[in-house]
Amino acid sequence: MHPFRTAVEARDPDAMEALLADNVVFTSPVAFAPYPGKAVTAAILRAVLRVFENFRYVREIAAADGRDHALVFEATVDGLQLSGCDFLHFDADGKIDAFTVMVRPLSAAQALAARMAQEYPRIQQEAREAIEGKTSA
């Protein structure tokens, strides 16, 4: 089992963040533009832990070279069953540098978009605090 899967299943946001590269790019299933950077990606992942109910990975697929993983998941959002996949790419240091999520069906994706929109001010605040903390340290 991949360490990222282990961190997510343990609901450990610090372990999840530790696996992200500083230059990671997160591509959301419900937003047009990707989100660049570790601070915002970690904040998004923390929000997802708050939004998804009954989250579980059901399958893990890995490339032979270990640089790409697909983690298939199921969850519930506002009572709607959702299935999706986290596509992870790892840099030469083994950190996630590209993180793309796809979900279905449309009704659950729309519920996810609405819930994540509610979380967005907190995501922005957490990302800003993380960036300011690094620059003042």
Side-chain angles (χ1 to χ4, degrees):
M1 189 177 328
H2 192 274
F4 184 78
R5 178 178 179 173
T6 301
V8 172
E9 290 179 342
R11 301 185 63 80
D12 185 343
D14 294 332
M16 293 163 56
E17 184 173 357
L19 295 166
L20 300 174
D22 288 339
N23 66 338
V24 64
V25 175
F26 181 85
T27 304
S28 166
V30 296
F32 177 74
Y35 296 94
K38 185 174 185 174
V40 71
T41 299
I44 290 168
L45 293 176
R46 287 189 297 274
V48 168
L49 288 176
R50 294 187 297 269
V51 168
F52 279 160
E53 305 157 15
N54 306 313
F55 181 90
R56 67 206 161 279
Y57 283 119
V58 295
R59 190 167 54 190
E60 183 173 338
I61 305 163
D65 66 1
R67 302 272 310 261
D68 291 283
H69 268 68
L71 300 171
V72 181
F73 64 85
E74 295 175 350
T76 305
V77 176
D78 289 343
L80 296 171
Q81 184 65 36
L82 173 120
S83 58
C85 191
D86 292 337
F87 295 96
L88 311 176
H89 182 268
F90 298 88
D91 65 16
D93 296 323
K95 300 284 187 175
I96 300 167
D97 63 359
F99 193 129
T100 301
V101 181
M102 295 188 184
V103 297
R104 65 163 310 281
L106 179 59
S107 58
Q110 290 169 328
L112 175 62
R115 290 292 305 281
M116 291 302 289
Q118 293 171 350
E119 293 285 331
Y120 195 69
R122 183 171 174 182
I123 291 168
Q124 288 180 306
Q125 180 65 30
E126 288 179 10
R128 188 172 27 260
E129 289 171 359
I131 291 168
E132 290 170 357
K134 287 181 183 178
T135 57
S136 65

